[in-house]
DNA sequence: TCTTGACTTAGAGTACGCTCTAAGATGTAC
DNA sequence: GTACATCTTAGAGCGTACTCTAAGTCAAGA
C-alpha cells in the first residue's frame, strides 16, 4: 500500500522497537515520517539510513539531547554542516577515549583472572598434599 | 581517629560519591565497613581495592545485579574462586565484543566526518564560483 | 556553652531511555 | 458481516543507578 517501509519492517531492520521508533519521532530525532492513505507510517530508505546512524550514536553512548541537537542542525540543512561535523568530531574523540579506557579495564580484568588461576592452582596443590596425607 | 580512611577520603580516591559508597554497602556490594568509636565508617586498603575493582566492572557495563552475585561469591571465600573466575571470563568476553563494536562504530563515524568534509569543500568551491560570477 | 562540620540513618526523589496501555481506526480473510 | 491483525494516539509506568533529604549524633574549636 502506497510506498515505503512499514514501522514493523523498520523495527526489524534497525533492531529498534516500534515503540522506540515512534518515541524518536515524537522527541524530534526523526522528521515527521510520511503516511500511507490510512495514516500509517511509511519510512523511506533515507529515513532508515538516518535511524541507523542515530542508533550508532546511541550505542556509542551519545545522550539523547545531543542527538536532538544534531537532528535540529540536520533539519536546517547545508548551512549547518560545519556544526554537525564539529559535534561529530567531539563525539569521535570521546569515543576514542572511551575505547582506550575500556582497554585499560580489560587488561586489569585479565590480570584478575590470571590471579584467580594462580590461587586455583595453589588450592589444587594443597588438596593434593591433603589427599596424600590422608593415604 | 581510630584508623583507616574516612568516607570522604575514599570518595575522593575512588571517584564515587559518598552517597554511592553508602548505597553500595547497603545493597551488599561492600561488606559492612568497620566503624570508628563514633560510628563513622573507616575503610581499609582492602576495601578501597575492592571498590576500585567494582568501579571497573561498572565502567565496563556490568549491571549491579551481576556485581552483587560476584560480591556474594567473594563473601563465601576460596571455595567460590572457580565461579568468580567464570563470571569474570564471561565479562571479559563481553568486553572484547563491546570494544570491537565500538571500533566499528568509530570507523563509521569517521566516514561520516569525511563525508561532511567533502560536502564542505564542494560548498566552498560553489561559493568561489558564485563570487567569480559576481565579478 | 554554642556553633560548626562531618558524619549517621531510612526512605523519598530524580534522570534517563525507553516500554507499555487503552481506546480507537482501518484493511484483509473467511 | 465479523473476526483478526496492524496500525494510530496520548499519556502512564518502569528499570536502573544513583542522588538527595530530613532529622539526628558527635566531637572539636571560639
Amino acid at each position: 500500500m502506497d510506498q515505503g517501509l512499514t514501522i514493523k519492517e523498520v523495527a526489524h531492520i534497525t533492531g529498534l522497537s516500534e515503540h522506540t521508533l515512534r518515541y524518536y519521532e515524537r522527541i524530534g530525532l526523526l522528521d515527521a515520517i510520511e503516511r500511507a492513505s490510512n495514516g500509517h507510517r511509511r519510512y523511506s530508505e533515507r529515513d532508515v539510513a538516518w535511524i541507523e546512524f542515530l542508533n550508532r550514536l546511541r550505542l556509542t553512548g551519545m545522550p539523547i539531547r545531543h542527538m536532538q541537537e544534531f537532528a535540529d542542525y540536520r533539519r536546517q540543512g547545508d548551512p549547518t554542516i560545519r556544526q554537525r561535523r564539529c559535534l561529530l568530531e567531539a563525539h569521535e574523540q570521546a569515543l576514542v577515549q572511551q575505547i582506550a579506557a575500556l582497554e585499560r579495564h580489560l587488561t586489569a580484568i585479565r590480570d584478575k583472572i590470571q590471579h584467580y588461576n594462580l590461587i586455583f592452582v595453589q588450592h589444587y596443590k594443597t588438596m593434593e598434599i591433603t589427599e596424600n596425607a590422608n593415604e
Side-chain angles (χ1 to χ4, degrees), chain A residues 48-67:
Chain A
V48 172
W50 172 239
I51 292 163
E52 283 176 335
F53 179 66
L54 286 175
N55 201 23
R56 214 180 268 296
L57 296 181
R58 273 301 299 129
L59 291 173
T60 50
M62 184 183 282
I64 294 274
R65 66 182 177 284
H66 289 180
M67 289 162 60

Side-chain angles (χ1 to χ4, degrees), chain A residues 16-33:
Chain A
L16 297 176
S17 73
E18 302 180 23
H19 288 304
T20 302
L21 288 171
R22 291 193 200 97
Y23 166 68
Y24 275 13
E25 188 177 337
R26 199 170 359 140
I27 65 173
L29 288 181
L30 275 48
D31 291 345
I33 299 296

Side-chain angles (χ1 to χ4, degrees), chain A residues 34-119:
Chain A
E34 275 201 62
R35 300 305 175 113
S37 47
N38 60 4
H40 291 190
R41 288 172 179 80
R42 289 296 176 269
Y43 294 81
S44 69
E45 290 301 331
R46 182 162 183 272
D47 292 330
V48 172
W50 172 239
I51 292 163
E52 283 176 335
F53 179 66
L54 286 175
N55 201 23
R56 214 180 268 296
L57 296 181
R58 273 301 299 129
L59 291 173
T60 50
M62 184 183 282
I64 294 274
R65 66 182 177 284
H66 289 180
M67 289 162 60
Q68 286 173 319
E69 193 182 343
F70 198 93
D72 288 345
Y73 279 135
R74 179 171 177 265
R75 246 184 299 280
Q76 291 168 44
D78 274 5
T80 63
I81 281 179
R82 198 195 273 268
Q83 285 93 323
R84 279 182 270 165
R85 191 185 55 187
C86 189
L87 280 181
L88 220 48
E89 279 172 350
H91 187 59
E92 185 213 331
Q93 281 314 301
L95 190 45
V96 167
Q97 302 290 313
Q98 195 193 333
I99 291 171
L102 288 180
E103 267 161 0
R104 285 196 306 278
H105 292 314
L106 178 58
T107 300
I109 286 168
R110 282 177 169 156
D111 285 352
K112 188 95 172 179
I113 290 170
Q114 194 50 40
H115 176 69
Y116 281 143
N117 283 336
L118 291 176
I119 291 176

